[in-house]
Amino acid sequence: MPGRVCCCCAALRPRYKRLVDNIFPEDPKDGLVKADMEKLTFYAVSAPEKLDRIGAYLAERLSRDVVRHRYGYVLIAMEALDQLLMACHSQSIKPFVESFLHMVAKLLESGEPKLQVLGTNSFVKFANIEEDTPSYHRRYDFFVSRFSAMCHSCDHDPEIQTEIRIAGIRGIQGVVRKTVNDELRATIWEPQHMDKIVPSLLFNMQKIEDIDSRTGPPSSPTGGEKEENPALLAENCFRELLGRATYGNMNNAVRPVFAHLDHHRLWDPNEFAVSCFKIIMYSIQAQYSHHVIQEILGHLDVRKRDSPRVRAGIIQVLLEAVAIAAKGSIGPTVLEVFNTLLKHLRISVDFELGDRRSSAGSATFSTSSKESDERIVQNAIIQTIGFFGSNLPDYQRSEIMMFIMGKVPVLGTTTQSLDTSHLGDLGTRRIQIMLLRSLLMVTSGYKATMITNALPPPFLDPLLSPSLMEDSELRQLVLEILHNLIDRHDNRAKLRGIRIIPDVSDLKIKRDKISRQDVSFMKKHGQQLYRHIYLGCKEEDNVQKNFELLFTSLALTTIELANEEVVIDLIRLAIALQDIAIINEDNLPMFNRCGVMALVAAYLNFLSQMIAVPAFCQHVSKVIETRSLEASYFLPETIFKDKCNLPKSLEKDEKNLFFLTNKIAESLGGSGYSVERLSVPYVPQVTALFSSGKKPHKCRHKSKDEDRLSRRKSIVDTVSIQVDILPGNNTEDKVDNTEEITFEALKKAIDNNGLEEQEKEKRRLVIEKFQKAPFEEIAAQCETKANLLHDRLAQILELTIRPPPSPSGTMTITAGHAHYQSVPVYEMKFPDLF
């Protein structure tokens, strides 16, 4: 038989060679000689120093048999090597392992599929052996390259191709298991190895037929399925690789995924990309999730010039990754995610407007297709922002709300908003709409214990900015955001649609007692909410949805934030809205006027039933009943129909169709409400934006409401200046004389001290009134007093008595060529202003 020698020569050969030769039978079909194999194993265990020689001799025989195509003896040699490897665990096994790996490499280099599979199986057995001490000099570069190449086998026989690919995947799995457990032997995580291993696994994972069934957490398939399906085996190997990744090598394992998806153009469509990153997010340790998110954001920056569909595919992958990471640890990337997404939102709008400007002269199909693709990108960004924000805890969500609102371009504020200077008005509007849509999704489901946490001033002021009232869609988004934040008991769905509710108790409204914090919030910021609703009703481009949202805003404010004082303010606001429609100073269309009347009717019907004052309910019901008979277009059920006959004019004298302030005051006064303020007409208060002197961009109400408020303020300032010069005389006219100290002089001084105390008390009352009284009441009273002062001054100017020479301490009044009598300053009588 091959390998047998004569007796004389055999006696001269070393014993280990004789033992190795004896395990090979004459006919390789008989297999390994077990008795001689046991002798060889006993000899190797007893004399471990001979292992390296045994291994070298076996390797020599195997190499010779491979070259001579004696595959039967090759199988016997590998079986013997496997048994020796499993039996010996001493320090001397390391030289033997080198011979073993050399023989495995010989098999893998051969072009015979059976030998490649045989070498792979031997290597997998070796990989499962735990060595006592690691061998730091041993490298597996060849095996990584060879197994990766086997994963891409393209043999013409499908069965052989599948067999080789499975062997390659199992070989990679063996290399991973052999190397990743030892931190000092981390060569497998080097980029040159990961760039071969990861794409090889992904190449086989693409063959999965049902992607969605494999995107969840790791499953437990049967052994037969794993052995027969390369895609399933590759996925399990990929999961195992990612599960062993640590902080320092996570990025090296993820980056080749992007290269593979880019090379094979798998971002559009992106089903496979989504499934890959779902596997990644479920396989890695939770605390490393932010590494993956950072890599996706970085790749999005790299591909920012690619087609919209590619960018949309990457953003969709980010959405899926964020959805999984939000359930665990997100790390420090929360603001980075939003900042990057908002930056790409601006880039997308810039691309969209750039394509539109470049095709202004020639409208082509390709241009419209690009615009629609950019809309896909923008919607994907908004969806990602909203989903990410809605899954954050409340304390982080409030910060994100502030962050997004700070990016909204609001003219007149100093926030660090997105740079839209080069986008123009259209681009700015697009950015505003999309950011508000993102904010709407973030605020969905947000339940703040105190309204001050949901609507802090740095958030509320820009949200209610006049520059966000120029467009109907912007106003709708702002109102919907307010609903998300105000509605803390999920009552909004019950109030959907503007209508006359017959019985509010059927809605089963949920509410709690108004807290002191909410009362304080309404005292400080209630006027901002009222003003936004008031001016929102005066917009000419209002449609039915705007009126529905305004009604919901009033109703939610009543439910969540209304005490007796707020109820009175809301009634004053409703009467002021009714006056908008009746007086029509803004020349609103008839539909808008009737819509405002219907809004007032629906709200007062709701409010009257909420506060349950019988006389108030009776007055409201009577007006609604009269309208249903004589002017149904003043009711929401009629005016918001598709076809509604509008009146040509509104008669101001038809008092029975209007809600009357005196009737409401009379009905509420009998139930203990403080109704004095109902007699003061509601006037929208100037917000912080206007009081700071900054002029908002294109605010249509500035010319009417704000100018009127500015005139009233100037009148008050003039009156205050005039009052300041009244009490005292000119110091230059005082006579410096020495008065004799007598009893009468002391008595006079005491009386003067009493007058000073009265003057101080009067000033204190004035200051207290300015601090506590409502703004509208002060403004109306100051205007009345100023008119009286103006009339008094006019009477003085009408004096026609020719005066004598002006004495000291008098004021000479001259008009034209007429010379009027001088009146001493201290004798001029002015009305008491307060």
Side-chain angles (χ1 to χ4, degrees):
M1 81 173 193
R4 293 288 184 178
V5 294
C6 63
C7 297
C8 296
C9 295
L12 300 176
R13 292 169 63 84
R15 183 181 179 187
Y16 72 90
K17 287 188 177 182
R18 296 198 304 269
L19 292 174
V20 169
D21 290 337
N22 292 337
I23 65 174
F24 291 93
E26 293 184 1
D27 187 359
K29 294 181 180 179
D30 296 338
L32 181 69
V33 180
K34 295 183 179 180
D36 291 329
M37 186 63 212
E38 291 178 359
K39 294 178 182 179
L40 178 62
T41 304
F42 179 77
Y43 177 77
V45 172
S46 303
E49 68 276 3
K50 300 294 184 178
L51 268 175
D52 57 335
R53 299 182 183 182
I54 295 173
Y57 184 59
L58 278 171
E60 179 185 345
R61 288 188 58 107
L62 183 140
S63 299
R64 185 171 62 247
D65 292 336
V66 169
V67 172
R68 296 175 180 178
H69 299 283
R70 298 173 178 174
Y71 298 140
Y73 290 115
V74 172
L75 295 176
I76 294 174
M78 290 306 300
E79 184 178 357
L81 284 170
D82 292 342
Q83 291 190 21
L84 289 173
L85 199 63
M86 298 296 294
C88 303
H89 297 281
S90 65
Q91 294 288 339
S92 302
I93 198 174
K94 288 181 173 54
F96 175 76
V97 169
E98 297 301 327
S99 301
F100 170 79
L101 294 178
H102 178 69
M103 286 183 284
V104 171
K106 284 287 185 181
L107 296 179
L108 295 177
E109 286 177 338
S110 68
E112 185 65 30
K114 292 183 179 179
L115 296 184
Q116 294 178 2
V117 174
L118 177 63
T120 302
N121 293 336
S122 297
F123 183 83
V124 171
K125 293 178 182 178
F126 162 71
N128 293 326
I129 296 176
E130 295 184 4
E131 301 182 46
D132 295 335
T133 57
S135 178
Y136 301 117
H137 66 279
R138 189 186 305 156
R139 297 186 64 86
Y140 297 90
D141 299 11
F142 168 79
F143 295 100
V144 171
S145 300
R146 189 59 194 158
F147 288 138
S148 299
M150 292 170 62
C151 290
H152 292 84
S153 173
C154 296
D155 195 277
H156 62 277
D157 189 343
E159 294 184 0
I160 295 177
Q161 174 183 301
T162 301
E163 188 177 8
I164 294 176
R165 288 188 178 184
I166 290 177
I169 296 170
R170 294 180 65 240
I172 289 178
Q173 193 172 29
V175 173
V176 171
R177 290 176 178 175
K178 194 64 178 175
T179 57
V180 298
N181 290 329
D182 195 341
E183 295 181 359
L184 297 178
R185 192 170 54 210
T187 57
I188 193 67
W189 296 108
E190 294 177 358
Q192 63 265 28
H193 299 319
M194 288 290 105
D195 290 342
K196 298 174 183 177
I197 293 175
V198 174
S200 301
L201 298 177
L202 296 179
F203 176 77
N204 287 275
M205 288 169 58
Q206 286 179 248
K207 306 301 180 181
I208 297 179
E209 296 180 0
D210 188 6
I211 293 176
D212 293 336
S213 65
R214 312 236 59 91
T215 55
S219 56
S220 299
T222 62
E225 290 178 349
K226 289 192 292 184
E227 292 295 333
E228 296 176 0
N229 190 343
L232 185 58
L233 184 62
E235 179 186 329
N236 281 277
C237 181
F238 189 50
R239 291 183 187 272
E240 183 178 350
L241 175 68
L242 294 168
R244 297 173 183 269
T246 59
Y247 180 87
N249 47 47
M250 175 61 65
N251 294 342
N252 290 339
V254 174
R255 286 171 185 167
V257 179
F258 295 105
H260 179 82
L261 297 175
D262 290 342
H263 179 71
H264 293 275
R265 300 179 180 179
L266 297 174
W267 295 112
D268 179 31
N270 67 339
E271 287 81 3
F272 180 71
V274 170
S275 68
C276 283
F277 278 91
K278 281 187 175 182
I279 291 172
I280 292 173
M281 296 303 293
Y282 280 119
S283 301
I284 63 175
Q285 301 180 43
Q287 64 267 28
Y288 303 147
S289 298
H290 62 278
H291 281 286
V292 181
I293 295 176
Q294 284 178 330
E295 290 296 321
I296 299 175
L297 293 173
H299 194 68
L300 182 60
D301 288 335
V302 172
R303 305 298 298 272
K304 64 182 179 182
R305 297 291 178 183
D306 282 22
S307 66
R309 290 189 175 274
V310 170
R311 286 182 280 127
I314 298 175
I315 295 170
Q316 179 67 26
V317 167
L318 177 63
L319 171 62
E320 298 296 339
V322 160
I324 299 172
K327 301 174 184 177
S329 172
I330 303 176
T333 60
V334 176
L335 290 181
E336 183 181 353
V337 171
F338 287 97
N339 198 31
T340 303
L341 289 174
L342 294 179
K343 179 181 68 176
H344 284 276
L345 184 62
R346 182 188 59 79
I347 292 174
S348 178
V349 173
D350 196 5
F351 286 160
E352 179 184 359
L353 296 179
D355 293 337
R356 184 176 300 177
R357 285 192 294 265
S358 62
S359 62
S362 58
T364 60
F365 173 77
S366 60
T367 301
S368 60
S369 177
K370 286 183 179 179
E371 290 183 6
S372 61
D373 289 345
E374 289 296 344
R375 295 294 178 93
I376 295 175
V377 175
Q378 295 160 13
N379 291 333
I381 293 175
I382 292 171
Q383 187 179 7
T384 304
I385 291 175
F387 189 86
F388 192 9
S390 61
N391 280 277
L392 292 175
D394 287 345
Y395 73 92
Q396 278 188 324
R397 201 191 304 196
S398 60
E399 295 178 359
I400 296 304
M401 288 160 48
M402 294 284 294
F403 181 77
I404 297 177
M405 195 66 233
K407 297 295 182 180
V408 178
V410 176
L411 297 172
T413 62
T414 58
T415 54
Q416 301 295 324
S417 61
L418 292 180
D419 182 16
T420 60
S421 56
H422 64 288
L423 298 179
D425 291 342
L426 180 60
T428 301
R429 176 185 175 276
R430 288 282 299 155
I431 291 292
Q432 288 176 332
I433 288 177
M434 286 183 288
L435 289 179
L436 289 178
R437 285 175 57 192
S438 305
L439 189 58
L440 178 63
M441 296 188 67
V442 172
T443 56
S444 178
Y446 181 64
K447 297 290 186 297
T449 55
M450 295 185 296
I451 196 65
T452 51
N453 295 336
L455 293 172
F459 177 82
L460 183 63
D461 292 342
L463 181 65
L464 301 183
S465 167
S467 65
L468 298 182
M469 297 184 64
E470 302 168 10
D471 183 84
S472 174
E473 187 176 357
L474 286 174
R475 296 196 302 276
Q476 293 174 10
L477 290 171
V478 170
L479 290 174
E480 288 176 341
I481 292 169
L482 284 175
H483 297 171
N484 284 344
L485 298 174
I486 295 176
D487 183 21
R488 292 171 287 181
H489 297 86
D490 298 324
N491 293 312
R492 181 176 43 178
K494 304 172 185 177
L495 302 170
R496 185 172 291 115
I498 181 172
R499 64 195 187 280
I500 302 297
I501 303 174
D503 189 357
V504 175
S505 60
D506 293 340
L507 301 180
K508 297 180 180 180
I509 299 294
K510 299 178 182 178
R511 61 185 306 187
D512 293 331
K513 185 179 179 181
I514 308 301
S515 64
R516 289 186 299 175
Q517 291 83 0
D518 292 346
V519 173
S520 175
F521 172 83
M522 289 304 293
K523 286 183 177 180
K524 293 180 180 179
H525 306 289
Q527 294 298 328
Q528 285 181 270
L529 298 176
Y530 304 152
R531 181 182 182 279
H532 188 80
I533 295 173
Y534 179 83
L535 297 182
C537 291
K538 300 176 69 174
E539 294 291 342
E540 295 182 4
D541 59 345
N542 280 337
V543 294
Q544 179 179 351
K545 185 176 180 180
N546 291 88
F547 289 109
E548 290 178 351
L549 294 174
L550 288 167
F551 167 74
T552 306
S553 301
L554 290 168
L556 289 177
T557 303
T558 304
I559 295 171
E560 299 286 348
L561 303 171
N563 56 6
E564 291 188 5
E565 183 178 349
V566 174
V567 167
I568 297 299
D569 288 336
L570 290 171
I571 294 175
R572 291 173 58 219
L573 174 60
I575 298 301
L577 295 177
Q578 180 178 255
D579 292 340
I580 290 176
I582 298 174
I583 301 174
N584 196 26
E585 292 181 350
D586 299 277
N587 296 322
L588 294 175
M590 185 56 67
F591 170 79
N592 294 63
R593 298 172 68 184
C594 295
V596 172
M597 296 292 283
L599 168 65
V600 174
Y603 173 64
L604 288 182
N605 171 71
F606 176 82
L607 176 63
S608 63
Q609 297 185 56
M610 288 296 294
I611 64 177
V613 176
F616 186 26
C617 294
Q618 184 178 1
H619 172 65
V620 173
S621 300
K622 183 177 180 180
V623 173
I624 293 175
E625 184 179 356
T626 304
R627 288 185 178 185
S628 63
L629 297 175
E630 301 179 11
S632 60
Y633 43 79
F634 284 166
L635 298 177
E637 288 81 0
T638 302
I639 187 59
F640 296 123
K641 287 182 179 179
D642 294 335
K643 296 181 180 180
C644 175
N645 295 324
L646 298 175
K648 296 182 179 179
S649 62
L650 299 183
E651 299 296 334
K652 301 179 182 180
D653 299 331
E654 298 179 356
K655 302 293 185 181
N656 58 336
L657 298 178
F658 306 143
F659 300 99
L660 304 179
T661 304
N662 57 345
K663 294 283 188 181
I664 297 175
E666 182 181 348
S667 61
L668 294 179
S671 298
Y673 282 83
S674 179
V675 296
E676 291 82 5
R677 290 171 47 241
L678 280 177
S679 59
V680 181
Y682 170 79
V683 178
Q685 182 175 340
V686 182
T687 61
L689 283 174
F690 289 117
S691 62
S692 62
K694 295 179 180 179
K695 187 177 181 180
H697 178 58
K698 296 182 181 177
C699 182
R700 291 193 289 271
H701 299 298
K702 173 66 173 153
S703 59
K704 296 180 180 180
D705 300 285
E706 303 302 341
D707 286 348
R708 183 166 53 203
L709 293 175
S710 299
R711 288 198 301 271
R712 292 193 174 189
K713 182 179 178 183
S714 63
I715 292 172
V716 175
D717 293 340
T718 305
V719 173
S720 64
I721 293 172
Q722 292 172 346
V723 171
D724 289 339
I725 67 172
L726 295 182
N729 296 329
N730 195 335
T731 56
E732 296 179 356
D733 298 331
K734 291 183 179 179
V735 179
D736 187 12
N737 57 358
T738 303
E739 209 175 300
E740 185 179 359
I741 300 177
T742 60
F743 175 76
E744 294 295 334
L746 292 175
K747 182 179 179 182
K748 185 176 181 181
I750 294 173
D751 293 339
N752 289 337
N753 291 335
L755 293 174
E756 290 179 0
E757 292 295 331
Q758 294 179 4
E759 195 68 26
K760 289 181 180 179
E761 179 65 18
K762 186 176 181 180
R763 291 196 191 98
R764 188 187 66 80
L765 294 174
V766 169
I767 294 173
E768 184 178 356
K769 187 167 188 178
F770 267 104
Q771 290 177 341
K772 296 183 178 180
F775 175 81
E776 295 86 351
E777 183 178 346
I778 296 173
Q781 190 172 3
C782 288
E783 188 173 9
T784 304
K785 300 294 185 179
N787 291 335
L788 293 176
L789 178 60
H790 181 271
D791 295 340
R792 181 60 177 164
L793 290 174
Q795 292 176 5
I796 296 173
L797 292 175
E798 291 175 359
L799 296 175
T800 57
I801 303 175
R802 190 171 299 275
S806 176
S808 177
T810 62
M811 181 175 67
T812 303
I813 303 173
T814 304
H817 298 288
H819 192 67
Y820 303 102
Q821 181 173 358
S822 301
V823 182
V825 176
Y826 55 84
E827 292 182 3
M828 295 173 67
K829 303 298 184 181
F830 294 92
D832 187 8
L833 292 178
F834 304 103

